[in-house]
Amino acid sequence: RLTSYRRLAKMTEIKEVADFRSELTDRFGAIPEEAANLLMKIILKLLSQKAYVKRLDLRDQQLLLHFDEPSYLNNLSGIINLVAANRNRFELTPEHVLKVRLAKQSITGHIVKAKNILKEIIQRVNG
């Protein structure tokens, strides 16, 4: 069991997490929601790193993405374009925090939404 935890801690790519999930499913059957959420949180961490987000907070119906300042400044145009395209949902603060209003839904729904927003940020800042 400890080997699995160490393996999770060393994952750097989303494919590794997906492969690990497949292994768990093959070995134990359907995984509990708590385990699925843990794997999704690891994916969020990996995506956050690729999007230059140093901290991610999910509170009530709001997602807060705190950007690493030097990387944020280098990728500002992509982030501004994202905010401009979604003014009713996104707000960018002077403290380098992207605030996203989320629809009322389950925590799992919010986690999935956060994943999709991070993927969009990655596309905009790297594309």
Side-chain angles (χ1 to χ4, degrees):
R1 198 185 279 199
L2 188 55
T3 304
S4 295
Y5 292 127
R6 286 186 184 137
R7 188 168 158 207
L8 277 173
K10 292 181 180 181
M11 291 182 184
T12 59
E13 296 297 325
I14 294 169
K15 182 169 178 6
E16 292 174 297
V17 180
D19 290 346
F20 184 71
R21 181 185 177 126
S22 293
E23 286 178 37
L24 289 176
T25 303
D26 288 347
R27 186 170 181 188
F28 302 108
I31 62 173
E33 182 179 355
E34 295 83 359
N37 286 343
L38 174 64
L39 294 174
M40 184 61 79
K41 287 178 184 179
I42 292 168
I43 289 171
L44 288 179
K45 179 183 173 189
L46 295 173
L47 289 171
S48 293
Q49 291 168 348
K50 292 175 190 276
Y52 307 105
V53 172
K54 68 178 179 180
R55 191 172 107 208
L56 180 150
D57 294 317
L58 272 171
R59 294 186 195 148
D60 300 318
Q61 291 177 246
Q62 191 172 52
L63 169 65
L64 302 172
L65 301 174
H66 304 259
F67 289 93
D68 178 50
E69 187 174 343
S71 300
Y72 165 84
L73 294 173
N74 291 337
N75 297 290
L76 190 56
S77 63
I79 295 166
I80 288 173
N81 290 337
L82 175 67
V83 172
N86 300 281
R87 289 179 193 234
N88 59 332
R89 291 186 39 232
F90 294 131
E91 175 189 348
L92 191 57
T93 72
E95 295 81 27
H96 318 292
V97 177
L98 179 62
K99 294 181 179 182
V100 183
R101 285 178 285 291
L102 301 171
K104 188 172 183 164
Q105 57 187 336
S106 69
I107 187 64
T108 303
H110 285 164
I111 291 170
V112 169
K113 191 66 173 174
K115 179 184 93 170
N116 293 336
I117 290 167
L118 287 167
K119 284 182 172 182
E120 187 170 351
I121 290 170
I122 291 166
Q123 284 181 320
R124 288 182 184 262
V125 300
N126 295 323

